[in-house]
């Protein structure tokens, strides 16, 4: 990026590559992947690029395995909450077990 350009100027791949110290083909891959939106300013690209670097450094990069693990964790948490809710209902005698219902029905019918 030339010294007379502003971060508010429309970004070019080669100019941004010079700004962040990488190659134009590397920036082209980010543009193609949608990380850097075409037609945006250097400021927008810099924010998106830094966010991508932070995400990768933190190990939060989205992929199928990570998404499946997140879904499994959410499902496990939901099931645990449901189990706790049933136990509380049972303690408060808001629900009864099947055997108690069967016994009550037999006693009622006789």
């Amino acid at each position: 990026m030339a010294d007379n350009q502003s971060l508010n100027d429309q970004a070019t791949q080669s100019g941004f590559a010079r700004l962040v110290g990488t190659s134009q083909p590397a920036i082209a891959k980010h543009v193609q992947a949608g990380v850097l939106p075409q037609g945006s300013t250097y400021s927008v690209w810099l924010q998106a690029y830094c966010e991508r670097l932070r995400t990768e450094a933190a190990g939060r990069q989205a992929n199928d395995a990570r998404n499946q693990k997140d879904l499994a964790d959410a499902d496990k948490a939901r099931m645990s909450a449901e189990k706790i809710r049933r136990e509380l209902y049972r303690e408060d005698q808001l629900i009864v077990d099947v055997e108690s219902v069967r016994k009550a029905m037999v006693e009622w019918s006789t």
Side-chain angles (χ1 to χ4, degrees), residues 92-103:
D92 292 340
Q93 297 180 346
L94 299 174
I95 61 172
V96 291
D97 59 279
V98 174
E99 195 54 43
S100 297
V101 172
R102 184 176 292 127
K103 182 179 175 184

Side-chain angles (χ1 to χ4, degrees), residues 54-86:
R54 277 194 294 275
T55 299
E56 289 175 357
R60 297 184 306 246
Q61 190 171 13
N63 59 34
D64 288 339
R66 177 65 184 204
N67 291 340
Q68 288 177 357
K69 182 185 182 311
D70 289 346
L71 289 173
D73 289 345
D75 196 35
K76 182 178 178 182
R78 182 187 50 76
M79 289 175 15
S80 178
E82 288 175 3
K83 180 180 178 184
I84 291 169
R85 190 175 301 113
R86 283 192 309 271

Side-chain angles (χ1 to χ4, degrees), residues 8-23:
N8 294 324
D9 292 343
Q10 185 173 357
T12 64
Q13 293 179 12
S14 57
F16 190 71
R18 285 191 302 275
L19 176 67
V20 297
T22 189
S23 67

Side-chain angles (χ1 to χ4, degrees), residues 12-18 22-33 36 49:
T12 64
Q13 293 179 12
S14 57
F16 190 71
R18 285 191 302 275
T22 189
S23 67
Q24 182 274 326
I27 298 305
K29 289 179 184 177
H30 289 295
V31 171
Q32 189 176 27
L36 304 175
Y49 187 74

Side-chain angles (χ1 to χ4, degrees), residues 16 20 36 44-55:
F16 190 71
V20 297
L36 304 175
V44 170
W45 277 18
L46 191 57
Q47 289 173 338
Y49 187 74
C50 289
E51 182 60 33
R52 175 66 174 249
L53 292 177
R54 277 194 294 275
T55 299

